[in-house]
Amino acid sequence: MKVDFGDLKREYLDIKEEIDSAILNVLNSGWFVLGKQVENFEKEFANYIGTKYSVSCASGTDALALSLMALDIGPGDEVITTDMTAVPTISAISMVGAVPILVDTLEDSCLIDPRLIEGRITSKTKAIIPVHLYGQLCEMAKIKQISKRFNIPIIEDACQAHGATYKNKKAGSIGILGCFSFYPSKNLGCYGDGGAITTNSGQLYKKLVMIRNYGQSKRYYHDIVGINSRLDEIQAAILRVKLLRLDSWNKRRHEIANKYSKGIKNKKIEQITSDPKTISNHHLYVIKTKRRDHLMNYMAENGIQTMIHYPVNIHRQKAYRSLGYNKNDFPVSLKSAGEIVSLPMHPYLTEKEIEYIISTINQYK
Ligand SMILES: *Cc1c(COP(=O)(O)O)cnc(C)c1O
């Protein structure tokens, strides 16, 4: 049997009629940027996340960069985040000219270690970006306490956490701003690039709407410095169709995660766990093992594609070497990066495939 890591073709074929007609509607409307589809999607997405507003944009990276711009964060400022994240979290901080300050992670969850945040705060710290990695929420109660005490805003990187919750609040509704990516493989993805920011602040909402559209307040009047970062009408129309299915897709991921966690009994495999107050959206299903490459080869030999999210920690990336990170500051994330493996995880996995993956892992020696 052959099992690919992801399979967006299965998804498309399942919802083909609705998607095709949504795209055709936009083509026939003759209106492609900032129209009715975007307007409606933003309302529906805010409503889903549980915030007053959402502003769509061109990518998750831009959602983070626009958020930093809206908070007037730029050169000379520092932003605290985690050493274990997708590089775009860091790209966004660099885009606005601020310095990414990295924090080590928790052994069990690979999420930012809240106990280490305070030690990294300086007079230049302007934001904290917790990353809800793999769809598990960070320990937000502790991070919120720090945010309150030092008066530093939280921007959630919820790019992997569409629909995940912490004490019944959805990712993206806990910090002052929440950032989402609609990259195709995310739990809610479009068929191209896209992103959004969620917020309850009317003032930040207004500012974000201007910044993503050249800083324009009304046509030809540019009140603040902005960029071009917009979701297009076709992607918004696709996302409106898919948003209606997000909860049922997440539910299926949850079932698959349960099957994995109950079914995998090999002593060589360690499962990762997060704060029990969190309900993950299971964007990725990550396990740890000592001889990681050996396991991945074994899985590949048996036709199962696995991946690593992410093999190279931020502090080890060449692009950020000049920032002078000290590897001794990241013992946990460094160790984790050498042991993690992501198993196939998407709502269109069949029962047969799931059983095959579990039995293959259980036979690994
Ligand atoms: C996907 C992702 C991003 C960025 O998303 P793009 O839409 O690809 O720009 C940012 N942070 C995390 C944690 C992600 O997984």
Side-chain angles (χ1 to χ4, degrees), residues 50-73:
T51 52
K52 284 194 192 139
Y53 312 99
S54 99
V55 182
S56 60
C57 61
S59 69
T61 311
D62 277 6
L64 289 157
L66 290 165
S67 295
L68 293 165
M69 291 169 81
L71 294 173
D72 297 315
I73 295 171

Side-chain angles (χ1 to χ4, degrees), residues 75-352:
D77 297 332
E78 295 178 353
V79 176
I80 293 177
T81 190
T82 165
D83 185 43
M84 253 184 117
T85 182
V87 162
T89 313
I90 312 302
S91 316
I93 299 170
S94 312
M95 260 168 83
V96 302
V99 178
I101 303 296
L102 304 176
V103 171
D104 201 6
T105 50
L106 294 162
E107 177 105 45
D108 291 347
S109 60
C110 300
L111 298 170
I112 190 168
D113 186 340
R115 294 166 303 185
L116 301 176
I117 293 176
E118 197 178 326
R120 290 274 187 265
I121 293 174
T122 71
S123 58
K124 295 179 187 162
T125 311
K126 293 291 153 57
I128 302 170
I129 306 186
V131 179
H132 303 315
L133 199 68
Y134 312 148
Q136 331 161 87
L137 267 81
C138 299
E139 294 183 4
M140 293 309 290
K142 289 180 191 161
I143 298 173
K144 272 196 102 153
Q145 264 180 11
I146 298 167
S147 156
K148 275 211 184 106
R149 192 145 52 90
F150 292 91
N151 195 24
I152 299 168
I154 296 171
I155 302 170
E156 295 175 74
D157 182 337
C159 287
Q160 301 189 358
H162 320 68
T165 60
Y166 182 86
K167 292 187 185 169
N168 297 322
K169 288 197 89 177
K170 286 210 172 94
S173 71
I174 303 167
I176 188 163
L177 295 155
C179 299
F180 291 87
S181 164
F182 303 126
Y183 183 78
S185 62
K186 310 283 181 176
N187 288 39
L188 177 64
C190 53
Y191 294 152
D193 272 311
I197 304 136
T198 47
T199 187
N200 284 314
S201 157
Q203 187 216 336
L204 288 173
Y205 167 74
K206 281 190 201 128
K207 212 166 161 187
L208 286 164
V209 166
M210 288 198 272
I211 299 173
R212 66 135 179 228
N213 195 28
Y214 326 118
Q216 185 167 274
S217 57
K218 61 180 183 205
R219 198 161 203 182
Y220 307 125
Y221 290 83
H222 302 262
D223 295 0
I224 53 179
V225 175
I227 59 172
N228 172 0
S229 179
R230 302 174 300 219
L231 186 72
D232 65 69
E233 286 283 286
I234 290 179
Q235 300 305 338
I238 291 166
L239 286 165
R240 292 182 71 199
V241 171
K242 293 182 67 173
L243 180 59
L244 297 173
R245 286 187 168 73
L246 179 57
D247 279 340
S248 70
W249 281 333
N250 281 351
K251 192 163 156 264
R252 177 64 185 150
R253 285 175 184 265
H254 213 82
E255 283 170 14
I256 298 168
N258 275 334
K259 283 176 202 265
Y260 279 156
S261 66
K262 291 206 181 82
I264 297 173
K265 295 203 165 75
N266 192 326
K267 292 265 182 310
K268 292 200 158 71
I269 308 295
E270 207 186 307
Q271 314 222 12
I272 70 163
T273 52
S274 54
D275 191 332
K277 292 185 280 297
T278 284
I279 300 176
S280 175
N281 71 356
H282 301 287
H283 172 59
L284 293 167
Y285 194 89
V286 178
I287 56 173
K288 283 186 181 175
T289 189
K290 295 278 177 251
R291 295 171 68 202
R292 189 257 313 280
D293 296 346
H294 186 253
L295 173 71
M296 287 183 82
N297 283 335
Y298 163 82
M299 296 297 275
E301 277 161 18
N302 285 283
I304 300 166
Q305 190 185 13
T306 57
M307 292 181 82
I308 309 171
H309 299 89
Y310 298 91
V312 186
N313 302 72
I314 303 298
H315 81 268
R316 293 175 55 214
Q317 296 288 351
K318 193 170 163 192
Y320 301 101
R321 210 165 277 166
S322 64
L323 296 175
Y325 297 120
N326 180 348
K327 76 174 189 327
N328 298 325
D329 288 339
F330 311 101
V332 181
S333 73
L334 193 58
K335 181 166 174 276
S336 294
E339 297 179 350
I340 48 174
V341 188
S342 310
L343 301 181
M345 168 54 89
H346 64 82
Y348 290 88
L349 280 173
T350 65
E351 291 305 312
K352 264 204 171 128

